Amino acid sequence: MKTDIKVEVDRLAADPRITDYDFWRSLKNVDNEIFHIANNNEPIPFDMIRWRSILKRARLKRGHA
């Protein structure tokens, strides 16, 4: 699983078609969705947490916090 995340992070960070805004907006959307799910006391899907981690790491790899 850890290697899958690293591979995905590297692939996304190197993709010139994805803008910094795309990363920011996608991360914001995932964070908002997780917030709404948690606020309703529902279980948060593991894939959402995984994608939030991937997006954060890919964004950092590009040099943005």
Side-chain angles (χ1 to χ4, degrees), residues 3-59:
T3 56
D4 293 343
I5 291 175
K6 183 173 178 358
V7 168
E8 198 63 36
V9 166
D10 292 342
R11 186 183 68 79
L12 289 175
D15 192 338
R17 297 171 298 172
I18 302 172
T19 66
D20 295 336
Y21 176 78
D22 292 333
F23 276 117
W24 177 83
R25 184 74 257 168
S26 297
L27 185 57
K28 188 80 167 163
N29 288 341
V30 170
D31 280 341
N32 285 340
E33 190 63 31
I34 289 172
F35 173 80
H36 288 296
I37 291 170
N39 214 24
N40 291 328
N41 293 323
E42 297 173 3
I44 299 169
F46 188 74
D47 279 346
M48 291 186 93
I49 295 170
R50 182 176 173 267
W51 276 106
R52 179 173 63 178
S53 175
I54 289 170
L55 290 170
K56 281 183 178 180
R57 290 179 188 188
R59 191 168 181 230

